[in-house]
Amino acid sequence: MKFKPRSVRLKDERSVLLRMALVENAEALRRTIQTYLISSPYVPLTPEEFTPGPQEEEAWIQGFIDQENSLLLVAEYENEIVGNIDLTGSHRMRMRHTGMIGMGLRQEWRNTGLGSHLLREMIRWAELNPILEIVWLEVYATNGAGRRIYEQAGFQQIGTVPDFFKSEGTYTDKVIMSRQV
Ligand SMILES: CC(C)(COP(=O)(O)OP(=O)(O)OC[C@H]1O[C@@H](n2cnc3c(N)ncnc32)[C@H](O)[C@@H]1OP(=O)(O)O)[C@@H](O)C(=O)NCCC(=O)NCCS
């Protein structure tokens, strides 16, 4: 077992289970990701572009189970997946010590403290992982909640790519952040 499941308590006192994603969660996880792609302007993937087939989604989850420097966690409440965080370790020999983080929550679960809990658990895991040394991520410059939790978790802004994202003619900068683990 790569990650021991654990319960965390949110700001509203609800308890949510954080655990590794299993292949049999593929459809439930796909539905959750689809909802936050629709409800958030801060994930650079449109709902129309996110159309993995069942086998593709299962293979994606299996990859996290097999890959020593990678982890995919889900947040579960009353048997429903309400959010996820992934750390994708590089497959390349010269970058295996690095992993990129992505995450998202169903809209009704944002600003509850859940994102901070997921991030904290992921960093704790990365710190214990013998391969990983650097975790990094990319975030919309306008994503206030995202940037706040990353800063609180010890990430430092290491760069900006101006106008990297473009939506309906409006440009937004991309901020790159990293942290040693
Ligand atoms: C980003 C995300 C994962 C954060 O998770 P969360 O559970 O909402 O975050 P938390 O409740 O743990 O913390 C949010 C913090 O940001 C603060 N915050 C919220 N909106 C903010 C804003 N617009 N500007 C600045 N800070 C803000 C909150 O006050 C809180 O800080 P505090 O704990 O000091 O009070 C979640 O909001 C989400 O899924 N967003 C949509 C998808 C997304 O943006 N994914 C990340 C892509 S990089």
Side-chain angles (χ1 to χ4, degrees):
M1 175 63 64
K2 263 186 176 182
F3 179 87
K4 199 162 158 246
R6 61 174 295 171
S7 261
V8 294
R9 189 162 288 234
L10 307 186
K11 289 176 183 168
D12 60 13
E13 299 296 317
R14 282 181 294 184
S15 286
V16 172
L17 180 70
L18 309 188
R19 63 165 177 82
M20 275 176 71
L22 306 171
V23 168
E24 50 266 41
N25 302 134
E27 176 52 20
L29 184 54
R30 189 196 63 76
R31 280 200 304 271
T32 294
I33 293 172
Q34 190 68 246
T35 70
Y36 65 69
L37 293 184
I38 293 167
S39 62
S40 173
Y42 301 132
V43 185
L45 178 67
T46 67
E48 297 75 30
E49 288 166 333
F50 180 68
T51 53
Q55 284 172 353
E56 198 184 335
E57 185 79 358
E58 286 175 14
W60 182 66
I61 295 175
Q62 188 64 49
F64 286 98
I65 295 167
D66 295 340
Q67 194 69 24
E68 246 186 296
N69 60 350
S70 299
L71 184 68
L72 171 58
L73 297 180
V74 292
E76 188 175 61
Y77 182 76
E78 294 182 344
N79 293 319
E80 186 190 29
I81 292 176
V82 298
N84 69 291
I85 184 166
D86 54 75
L87 191 161
T88 306
S90 178
H91 289 253
R92 299 189 193 177
M93 284 312 294
R94 292 176 183 169
M95 297 189 287
R96 280 185 83 229
H97 64 297
T98 72
M100 187 189 186
I101 288 183
M103 67 189 302
L105 310 179
R106 283 179 180 263
Q107 190 165 24
E108 60 276 24
W109 289 84
R110 295 179 199 156
N111 280 309
T112 60
L114 179 55
S116 302
H117 279 295
L118 277 167
L119 189 59
R120 209 173 297 131
E121 290 305 320
M122 183 58 90
I123 288 170
R124 198 172 294 166
W125 177 82
E127 283 174 337
L128 295 172
N129 183 285
I131 303 170
L132 289 168
E133 295 172 42
I134 295 171
V135 291
W136 65 285
L137 57 86
E138 299 176 340
V139 59
Y140 277 67
T142 46
N143 187 347
R147 292 180 67 176
R148 171 118 182 114
I149 67 167
Y150 302 139
E151 275 160 20
Q152 280 174 335
F155 282 81
Q156 285 185 337
Q157 181 169 331
I158 50 165
T160 304
V161 186
D163 294 342
F164 192 80
F165 302 114
K166 184 180 178 184
S167 181
E168 291 164 10
T170 302
Y171 296 88
T172 308
D173 297 350
K174 173 169 83 174
V175 169
I176 304 164
M177 304 182 85
S178 87
R179 186 192 193 281
Q180 306 268 349
V181 288

